[in-house]
Amino acid sequence: MNDSYLKFVNSPLGGRVARSFGLPKPEVLRRYRADTPEFDGLIAIGAGRAPQLLDALADVVKSTGLTSVAHESAGLWIALANRHGLMTGRFEPTEPGAHARVAALVFDASGIEDSTQLDALYAFFHDTLRSLGKCGRIVVLGRTPETCDTPRQWTAQRALEGLVRSLGKEARRGITSNLIYVAPHAEHQLEGTLRFFLSARSAYVSGQVVRIDAGSGAVSNAVDWAQPLAGRHAVVTGAARGIGAAIASVLAAQGAQVIGIDIPSAHDALVDTMRPLAGTALSFDIAADDAPAQIAAALDETGVDIFVHNAGITKDKTIAKMSEAAWHNVIDINLSAQERIDDALLAAGTLRDGGRIVCVSSISGIAGNLGQTNYAASKAGVIGRVQSMAPQLRARHITINAVAPGFIETQMTAKIPLTIREAGRRMNSMSQGGLPVDVAQTIAWLAQPASAGVTGQIVRVCGQSLLGA
């Protein structure tokens, strides 16, 4: 679905009209393309007192090929970068009105132990933010508050969330701002997540807080970042079209052997989606009583490394006008079927140890929505099962996470009345809707072996929507 306003204001004529009338001008987001470098440009590094993650950060800068410059707050970075053989220099602020020259801002706040030490964040972002280019990246690294030794340290680390979310709303221009909390002894798990948030793959993910721990399996030292899912079997439900088809395509592009599942009536569309991916099409009604056993049996020979619960439906009515069937069908397909399928796969051992479960929730499950009590309840339930199952799956090194899309340009949102559709597009920090590929890239990051430290997380793909938490 096309966003006509976005296209118009980014044309020469539309740009002049927008400036003349003071109209908002959403940025055309820079998304990942296989024919362009994934990482390019300068990354400005800052740090608070006693930073603890600079070594891990140096590994990422080296592997991405980014050129780093150090803000005066990160004096330790110069010596560290030299030891790692990285090109580096001192940050020089851009003059007002000059062309911005920095692609990313990264601040290591892991050593901040008291609220009075937050001043270092002010100094860094006050000096650097105007130098950040369009579609730039802001990433703050901290320590998981729940692991902090003192109430003052917990307080200071928790303060980072308000800063990061506010930066995302102030920066605009397609810039994303995210926070990564790294638990003690989980530094080796940082690279996959930091690469995602620094790359164009996270174009519509902003204002998010991700926690990384050390208890969900090891990360190989030899990750093939071009094909991180090579040799893995991935299943995507609802894969015939829309977001499901995009998920299947991105997983295949990263090396996975993809198996798509959809209802029998969508079989032809599913085959058309799977054919160019060299994938397998399986027709199942996931809500059928025997579907879990049949799916487990169909996957038994190959086994499964990644299972993406994407299939879902809507039957919108206010609850006073909603039929019992509409309530039951949405809950059953969107939530209960996921529970039954996972039970079958885990009991049979079809989902391998070290596997990944990724569920598609929704911003409606966080904020609620008029006329969607059934849908919102089902998607909030998805969040609940992710959070409750993560500790249980830890012993098998299986991670479970969810993405919560906001307004995504699909056939479903194309049916929304124009005024509501425009509100959905503009009520976020990007002032536009996302694309199915934005959801797919986020799921692919969560599915990677390098995301072993990320589990029980809900990541919103909503352009930092103004709705919900």
Side-chain angles (χ1 to χ4, degrees):
M1 183 170 62
N2 292 325
D3 185 340
S4 300
Y5 178 82
L6 176 68
K7 289 187 174 181
F8 175 70
V9 297
N10 281 284
S11 68
L13 172 62
R16 291 194 295 271
V17 171
R19 287 191 295 273
S20 298
F21 290 92
L23 299 175
K25 186 177 179 294
E27 195 69 41
V28 176
L29 300 183
R30 181 175 63 89
R31 291 182 167 90
Y32 171 77
R33 289 175 45 183
D35 60 348
T36 59
E38 185 168 3
F39 301 97
D40 188 29
L42 286 175
I43 176 172
I45 309 293
R49 69 171 299 279
Q52 300 161 12
L53 299 172
L54 289 183
D55 278 307
L57 176 56
D59 290 337
V60 177
V61 173
K62 186 172 184 178
S63 71
T64 58
L66 288 163
T67 301
S68 67
V69 291
H71 181 258
E72 62 182 15
S73 65
L76 294 174
W77 176 257
I78 299 290
L80 179 66
N82 287 337
R83 287 203 307 271
H84 283 264
L86 305 175
M87 293 178 62
T88 192
R90 298 284 184 178
F91 170 78
E92 298 293 339
T94 301
E95 293 296 325
H99 179 67
R101 64 185 188 89
V102 177
L105 306 175
V106 179
F107 188 93
D108 182 353
S110 59
I112 291 178
E113 297 181 339
D114 187 278
S115 60
T116 60
Q117 298 165 4
L118 294 170
D119 290 352
L121 288 149
Y122 163 79
F124 176 71
F125 288 109
H126 175 78
D127 292 348
T128 61
L129 192 58
R130 282 174 292 189
S131 297
L132 187 59
K134 295 178 181 179
C135 299
R137 298 289 182 262
I138 297 170
V139 181
V140 175
L141 308 175
R143 285 301 191 192
T144 309
E146 293 81 2
T147 67
C148 290
D149 294 330
T150 69
R152 285 179 179 258
Q153 184 185 13
W154 183 321
T155 298
Q157 291 295 320
R158 181 59 177 79
L160 301 176
E161 296 189 27
L163 170 85
V164 165
R165 291 191 171 115
S166 296
L167 285 172
K169 293 178 179 179
E170 288 184 8
R172 314 294 287 185
R173 297 183 297 134
I175 292 169
T176 66
S177 177
N178 294 286
L179 171 61
I180 304 174
Y181 281 134
V182 183
H185 312 298
E187 293 82 1
H188 63 291
Q189 302 277 10
L190 175 62
E191 183 166 8
T193 297
L194 183 52
R195 287 178 66 100
F196 173 71
F197 281 126
L198 288 176
S199 76
R201 297 179 189 272
S202 58
Y204 203 62
V205 182
S206 188
Q208 299 307 290
V209 179
V210 172
R211 287 166 162 77
I212 299 178
D213 64 44
S216 298
V219 175
S220 171
N221 292 325
V223 178
D224 179 356
W225 294 111
Q227 294 271 283
L229 301 179
R232 284 166 169 78
H233 289 80
V235 178
V236 182
T237 65
R241 57 179 63 87
I243 292 175
I247 296 167
S249 178
V250 170
L251 295 181
Q254 294 194 15
Q257 179 63 46
V258 179
I259 301 160
I261 294 177
D262 218 312
I263 55 177
S265 61
H267 178 73
D268 290 346
L270 180 62
V271 170
D272 290 343
T273 297
M274 290 296 112
R275 185 181 297 113
L277 308 180
T280 301
L282 298 178
S283 293
F284 290 110
D285 177 358
I286 63 169
D289 291 340
D290 58 352
Q294 289 190 348
I295 291 172
L299 302 174
D300 182 64
E301 184 175 342
T302 60
V304 179
D305 302 290
I306 302 159
F307 201 101
V308 181
H309 291 287
N310 167 72
I313 63 170
T314 58
K315 290 184 179 292
D316 296 351
K317 289 282 187 182
T318 58
I319 198 165
K321 297 179 180 179
M322 184 182 297
S323 69
E324 183 178 357
W327 172 273
H328 173 78
N329 289 342
V330 169
I331 297 292
D332 193 46
I333 292 173
N334 294 5
L335 178 58
S336 302
Q338 291 188 19
E339 295 177 304
R340 294 192 295 264
I341 290 170
D342 282 351
D343 285 348
L345 295 178
L346 291 167
T350 306
L351 181 65
R352 296 190 182 98
D353 289 359
R356 303 283 183 265
I357 300 172
V358 187
C359 308
V360 177
S361 179
S362 169
I363 195 172
S364 294
I366 297 170
N369 203 14
L370 175 66
Q372 287 195 321
T373 51
N374 51 359
Y375 184 76
S378 70
K379 294 303 186 178
V382 168
I383 293 172
R385 70 183 299 263
V386 164
Q387 294 172 332
S388 62
M389 287 184 66
Q392 298 181 19
L393 296 174
R394 196 178 298 272
R396 293 179 56 181
H397 303 304
I398 295 172
T399 69
I400 180 168
N401 296 283
V403 297
F407 187 95
I408 305 296
E409 304 279 2
T410 64
Q411 292 179 341
M412 183 184 297
T413 53
K415 298 175 184 177
I416 297 174
L418 177 62
T419 54
I420 299 175
R421 186 165 70 240
E422 279 301 300
R425 283 171 169 159
R426 310 306 164 204
M427 291 180 66
N428 60 74
S429 295
M430 303 296 170
S431 297
Q432 61 192 283
L435 300 180
V437 71
D438 297 322
V439 180
Q441 292 286 6
T442 307
I443 288 173
W445 153 57
L446 292 169
Q448 292 177 3
S451 297
V454 182
T455 192
Q457 306 285 297
I458 315 302
V459 181
R460 289 170 51 162
V461 186
C462 63
Q464 197 178 13
S465 173
L466 304 184
L467 301 175

